Amino acid sequence: MSAPETVAEAYLVALRERGVDRLFVNAGTDFATIVEAYARQKESGLALPEVVVCSHENLAVSMAHGSYLGDGRVQAVMLHTSVGSANAVCAVSNAASARVPVLLSAGRTPLFESGILGSRDYGIHWAQEMFDQAGMLRELVKWDYELRDGAQVREVVDRALDRARTDPPGPVYLSLPREVLAAPTFAAPAPAAAPVPTRAHPDPAAVDTLAEHLATARFPLVVTGDSGADHSCVAALAELAGRYGIGVVESGPRHVSMPADHPMHLGYRPGEVLADADVVVTLDLDVPWLPAAVSPADDAVVVQVGPDPHFGRYPIRSHRSDLTITAACGPLLAALGPALQARADRIDTGRTSRIEELGGRWRTRRQALLDAEAATSDAPITKATMNAALAAVVGPDTIVVNEYWAQAEVLAPTVPGSYLGTPPAGGLGWGLPAAIGVKLARPDATVVSTLGDGAYLFANPAACHQAMAMHGLPVLTVVCSNDHWGAVQASALKVHPDGHAAASADLSPLARLDPVPAFETYAEASGGFGVRVRSRAELVPALEAALRVVREEGRQALVNVECS
């Protein structure tokens, strides 16, 4: 194996040495020496990250996001200068709000107009240059830098990965000028392994205070939705809740944080139980309740826990906290177990049965919905119908990546990582490319992407289905086609419940999407299976047929459901 000859090769080698196995790319003229590095790989024998070609930057960053959710490993992306970075901003916003560590790199327009290898040789190299290319992303990333010289490359990669992984994790951004990438490099000794940052651990005194509150509470409640991002936290939280009688409610879940069949699981609507709790612990959740709708009781003790418990990157967030603990969820739960055990004799043994009774309410509601849908045969398809049908066909090996209609309350997931919800920022177009990224990281899993027609259009669907075909990543896409932006209409009615929009029988033109394309043909155009569903009787058979195509034939599938 030869040594890297260019800075581009040195950069790629450094990524691979640090455990970054994939590089998601949407290439441009700034990639010249990156292209050369991969072309020379057979001769050089250099270990480089696997290239994952993506035909749109939202696809690239969101696939990287999904791959991290699938295997927990830092991902790397390379974008095309300023214009590619601009296309990626929405996806980077999603990754930042979801605390996903991604090393985003982007070529930089050549610095020199002539006279040096890699200098400008296209007309676009003048118009694409910006005074501050990284500025458009600076508010979203934890760190940004420009590689100035090849002698820095290992140190810069280590710095980028360290910042991306340190609690709370998130994306970072590195600019790579074309002349720097094309410059020759020298053989450097292999560096020592870079240390992985430890998780944020809680103050022991704060743990004791929290344990005291929980042990003496009448109704202790944990509100979460993101703690299951660390899969080990799911079993840990379930163990504590069951052993010590602590209720858990998942608010707007983006991960499975508590198995839905656990007796201490109180459902997915914090407003139903929040006001009755006398101790409320928010476990790494940015919006545990909507202050305009419901808040903890005035005399309740409110505790906020997380590696950044007050979400410092949010300009305003004033959710009350009587005790704030800076800690990752895993270390906090590990420390809390012994502290509660030491106070076990002071815990009211009757509270467990009372909390279990509360948990029965949402399960009864869920079963009533399933029974009602099973008994209805000729009514229009609703989102409730779609949820009941999906719940009937998914298995333990299924991962649902939801960007709209698939409700955890109906699907009742129990396996860590089996339900992934929309990132807090809510940038549309995340769900389908993220599902493809999950499939890349978890090739043996069945991955289902659940979308509305608006979110599907935002995902650049032609690019997504082409990527599934190119990389052999069959995903089942289920689109709820109701020809409108539901969130736009609902928001108007919330703000103006007695206004003209509420009184009108028609949708606002601002909320309409019709006519939408025949979405099933996108999958067909890329060699997949597509079907349109118009009646309830067709829905479950169509989902089952699509799942067989994905599982048995290894082809992508799309079910386009006409939904009211």
Side-chain angles (χ1 to χ4, degrees):
M1 182 177 71
S2 65
E5 291 185 351
T6 62
V7 174
E9 287 186 338
Y11 172 66
L12 296 169
V13 167
L15 288 178
R16 185 62 182 269
E17 286 176 346
R18 293 316 193 204
V20 179
D21 297 330
R22 306 181 189 102
L23 180 64
F24 297 84
V25 301
N26 184 275
T29 58
D30 47 337
F31 279 66
T33 312
I34 298 290
V35 171
E36 181 67 13
Y38 279 99
R40 200 177 83 89
Q41 189 177 15
K42 287 183 180 179
E43 176 187 320
S44 69
L46 295 171
L48 309 179
E50 172 195 358
V51 168
V52 183
V53 174
C54 303
S55 55
H56 194 278
E57 290 82 2
N58 180 71
L59 171 63
V61 178
S62 298
M63 274 189 72
H65 186 149
S67 291
Y68 171 76
L69 296 178
D71 63 17
R73 299 171 66 87
V74 178
Q75 309 294 318
V77 179
M78 188 163 174
L79 307 166
H80 172 44
T81 66
S82 56
V83 290
S85 298
N87 261 353
V89 169
C90 184
V92 177
S93 179
N94 283 330
S97 66
R99 296 173 172 176
V100 170
V102 179
L103 196 171
L104 301 157
S105 58
R108 187 200 183 282
T109 304
L111 302 165
F112 294 88
E113 293 183 292
S114 64
I116 188 171
L117 183 64
S119 60
R120 300 181 183 186
D121 53 11
Y122 283 92
I124 58 173
H125 288 158
W126 279 262
Q128 283 184 350
E129 185 176 23
M130 298 179 70
F131 290 103
D132 184 11
Q133 177 174 303
M136 71 178 95
L137 292 156
R138 188 162 295 130
E139 191 170 333
L140 302 173
V141 298
K142 295 180 63 181
W143 171 92
D144 70 87
Y145 193 69
E146 182 171 295
L147 182 65
R148 288 32 175 320
D149 190 277
Q152 280 187 307
V153 69
R154 293 182 186 275
E155 291 82 357
V156 168
V157 167
D158 281 348
R159 176 67 171 164
L161 294 175
D162 181 71
R163 295 296 295 122
R165 293 185 294 196
T166 298
D167 272 343
V172 295
Y173 184 81
L174 176 62
S175 303
L176 301 169
R178 193 166 79 155
E179 297 95 329
V180 176
L181 290 177
T185 191
F186 52 87
V196 177
T198 61
R199 307 303 309 276
H201 279 63
D203 173 23
V207 173
D208 282 339
T209 301
L210 174 56
E212 188 69 18
H213 287 312
L214 291 172
T216 57
R218 170 186 51 82
F219 175 17
L221 178 68
V222 169
V223 185
T224 187
D226 257 358
S227 60
D230 177 350
H231 292 184
S232 68
C233 289
V234 179
L237 179 58
E239 166 68 15
L240 286 181
R243 177 171 292 188
Y244 301 110
I246 301 170
V248 177
V249 63
E250 295 189 74
S251 178
R254 296 181 280 267
H255 299 272
V256 178
S257 295
M258 179 86 158
D261 58 0
H262 193 288
M264 292 291 103
H265 198 302
L266 302 185
Y268 301 85
R269 303 184 188 184
E272 294 184 344
V273 293
L274 187 65
D276 294 329
D278 55 345
V279 174
V280 178
V281 181
T282 71
L283 205 55
D284 197 19
L285 187 60
D286 57 343
V287 186
W289 59 83
L290 293 174
V294 65
S295 292
D298 291 342
D299 59 351
V301 175
V302 178
V303 184
Q304 296 207 35
V305 179
D308 176 18
H310 289 304
F311 293 81
R313 64 176 297 271
Y314 289 17
I316 185 69
R317 179 188 182 273
S318 55
H319 291 74
R320 173 179 144 211
S321 182
D322 303 309
L323 172 64
T324 301
I325 303 177
T326 302
C329 294
L332 183 280
L333 294 172
L336 193 56
L340 282 172
Q341 182 58 41
R343 296 166 172 81
D345 59 342
R346 300 168 57 194
I347 295 175
D348 175 11
T349 56
R351 76 186 188 189
T352 296
S353 59
R354 295 195 300 270
I355 293 172
E356 284 183 357
E357 183 178 351
L358 288 175
R361 297 179 184 179
W362 80 268
R363 294 183 177 87
T364 299
R365 180 171 61 236
R366 173 182 183 268
Q367 191 58 52
L369 181 149
L370 295 176
D371 291 343
E373 291 300 325
T376 305
S377 59
D378 55 356
I381 298 173
T382 65
K383 288 188 284 292
T385 311
M386 295 183 66
N387 275 277
L390 186 62
V393 300
V394 297
D397 67 332
T398 305
I399 300 172
V400 175
V401 183
N402 178 51
E403 192 179 12
Y404 181 44
W405 58 267
Q407 297 178 4
E409 184 173 26
V410 180
L411 299 180
T414 60
V415 179
S418 62
Y419 179 90
L420 301 168
T422 308
L428 286 184
W430 167 84
L432 183 52
I436 302 168
V438 171
K439 181 66 177 179
L440 178 64
R442 300 275 304 278
D444 294 333
T446 300
V447 181
V448 179
S449 174
T450 56
L451 306 155
D453 41 15
Y456 181 71
L457 289 169
F458 257 77
N460 298 289
C464 291
H465 291 289
Q466 186 266 350
M468 290 187 224
M470 173 183 281
H471 301 298
L473 300 171
V475 167
L476 168 57
T477 307
V478 187
V479 183
C480 174
S481 291
N482 55 12
D483 298 344
H484 72 278
W485 298 107
V488 173
Q489 188 74 7
S491 176
L493 301 185
K494 275 187 177 182
V495 176
H496 304 288
D498 300 316
H500 293 279
S504 174
D506 297 325
L507 284 170
S508 164
L510 279 70
R512 294 183 62 171
L513 282 174
D514 55 321
V516 296
F519 294 134
E520 63 276 10
T521 61
Y522 277 105
E524 293 171 349
S526 289
F529 169 81
V531 61
R532 192 180 193 96
V533 172
R534 296 178 173 86
S535 71
R536 287 173 176 253
E538 298 173 318
L539 183 53
V540 169
L543 291 173
E544 291 174 336
L547 284 169
R548 283 194 297 272
V549 168
V550 170
R551 289 170 173 157
E552 298 173 15
E553 300 179 24
R555 292 192 297 137
Q556 60 181 287
L558 187 146
V559 179
N560 183 18
V561 183
E562 294 185 1
C563 181
S564 63

